[in-house]
Amino acid sequence: MQQGGSRRMTATAVALQVDDIHKSFGRLEVLRGISLSARDGDVIAILGSSGSGKSTFLRCLNLLEHPDQGAIRLRGEALDLVQSRQGGGLSARNARQLAAFRARIGFVFQSFNLWPHLTVLDNVIEAPVHVKGVARAEARDKGLALLEKVGIAHKRDSYPSHLSGGQQQRAAIARALAMDPEVILFDEPTSALDPELVSEVLGVIRALAEEGRTMLIVTHEMGFARDVASEIIFLHQGRIEEQGPPSEIFHHPKTERARQFLAKHL
Ligand code: ADP
Ligand code: MG
């Protein structure tokens, strides 16, 4: 069970602060003002029906999508969203700042998104070497330790297509960890997996929670969210419909929509 209770007794710093994020695609308003705060060690599970804006929200947080409005702060440091919106028009210096900011937030995708032409180990060391400028030998040592940690060191020289989905996702988690991110975002990390492979990936994420990693996880694994999350956020049509500790959301949902959603998914 979660150590969230004991964690809350010690003062922790705010790792990620998000204020009033809005995002539209053309006339479709997908995010209608989302705010949240993740303190060090928080594990926030984001629930909601398909199309409620969960992926768009996570993508806004590391600027795979550019929010139309709102603020994102990492350890109190605000990211200049106006600057980030200019995309291709960034000066080299601003582009570097944006890349540096992005490197502080890890992202694990539903579909793994490993480089198919690189071995597992090369996938893991690619960003440390090319984005952070870490020496190759050092990146390799650390990469091997991370593969060990997620239980796939024996696959280090294999290509992603030769791995099971669960192994690929564990490689993707090792790749995210290799950048020492301050926050890790997971977008339905087990939804693309065969049922028998789900638990090996959830086990890795659970271990990261136990280490005190700060994570936001979009998931439909309700048992996992209930056991591991320190906080649950329920999104509906681009707004936070309900928010609170798992005990409250799962046992005493306040809104009819959350009740219906849980009835369908529990
Ligand atoms: P969820 O992850 O909760 O299923 P998404 O964030 O993927 O929801 O999508 C929310 C809504 O935004 C959906 O209606 C989806 O079709 C739309 N949407 C997402 N990405 C784009 C995009 N790049 N262009 C246009 N519409 C998009
Ligand atoms: Mg999604």
Side-chain angles (χ1 to χ4, degrees):
M1 283 299 289
Q2 185 50 3
Q3 62 284 23
S6 57
R7 265 197 222 138
R8 269 149 204 273
M9 306 223 280
T10 54
T12 48
V14 174
L16 177 71
Q17 175 80 42
V18 181
D19 291 303
D20 201 29
I21 294 288
H22 287 251
K23 174 70 183 174
S24 296
F25 293 109
R27 287 162 59 189
L28 180 67
E29 204 183 352
V30 175
L31 302 179
R32 304 162 190 243
I34 300 206
S35 303
L36 66 79
S37 171
R39 304 186 76 86
D40 283 331
D42 276 353
V43 178
I44 300 181
I46 301 173
L47 313 180
S49 309
S50 173
S52 56
K54 305 179 299 295
S55 295
T56 304
F57 176 59
L58 286 194
R59 292 169 63 81
C60 281
L61 296 185
N62 82 337
L63 303 166
L64 291 168
E65 300 288 355
H66 291 162
D68 299 326
Q69 190 187 315
I72 301 172
R73 286 190 189 78
L74 210 43
R75 298 212 170 280
E77 191 184 322
L79 175 59
D80 184 344
L81 293 177
V82 174
Q83 186 188 93
S84 78
R85 240 191 325 274
Q86 293 164 349
L90 290 177
S91 70
R93 183 167 165 271
N94 290 347
R96 268 200 305 278
Q97 284 173 342
L98 185 59
F101 202 92
R102 234 184 214 157
R104 297 168 63 186
I105 301 186
F107 204 109
V108 175
F109 298 87
Q110 179 177 344
S111 49
F112 328 133
N113 293 15
L114 295 168
W115 297 109
H117 62 291
L118 296 181
T119 64
V120 166
L121 182 59
D122 283 342
N123 264 280
V124 172
I125 70 173
E126 204 270 345
V129 169
H130 293 108
V131 178
K132 272 195 171 170
V134 175
R136 217 180 162 77
E138 188 187 327
R140 268 186 71 91
D141 287 348
K142 181 168 174 191
L144 282 172
L146 288 169
L147 290 176
E148 198 82 61
K149 180 185 174 100
V150 301
I152 52 166
H154 60 295
K155 294 288 183 187
R156 63 182 173 239
D157 296 323
S158 301
Y159 287 88
S161 61
H162 293 157
L163 267 56
S164 72
Q167 291 170 333
Q168 288 187 58
Q169 192 60 300
R170 287 187 280 153
I173 293 171
R175 178 179 62 176
L177 293 171
M179 289 293 275
D180 292 322
E182 292 159 50
V183 178
I184 312 177
L185 312 174
F186 293 83
D187 192 359
E188 297 197 35
T190 61
S191 295
L193 300 177
D194 292 334
E196 71 273 20
L197 302 178
V198 167
S199 66
E200 68 189 46
V201 171
L202 292 182
V204 168
I205 301 173
R206 190 186 291 262
L208 296 176
E210 280 160 10
E211 279 176 10
R213 297 266 180 183
T214 310
M215 306 190 281
L216 270 59
I217 308 174
V218 171
T219 185
H220 292 299
E221 295 289 336
M222 296 297 144
F224 175 77
R226 191 173 45 201
D227 292 351
V228 174
S230 46
E231 184 176 358
I232 306 279
I233 282 181
F234 176 63
L235 276 194
H236 178 73
Q237 294 183 351
R239 287 201 179 88
I240 296 182
E241 177 90 4
E242 199 156 331
Q243 180 172 12
S247 54
E248 225 170 81
I249 303 283
F250 285 105
H251 301 297
H252 310 286
K254 290 187 195 72
T255 63
E256 187 50 36
R257 283 201 188 95
R259 259 194 291 277
Q260 282 172 8
F261 178 85
L262 292 169
K264 223 190 296 173
H265 291 88
L266 273 177

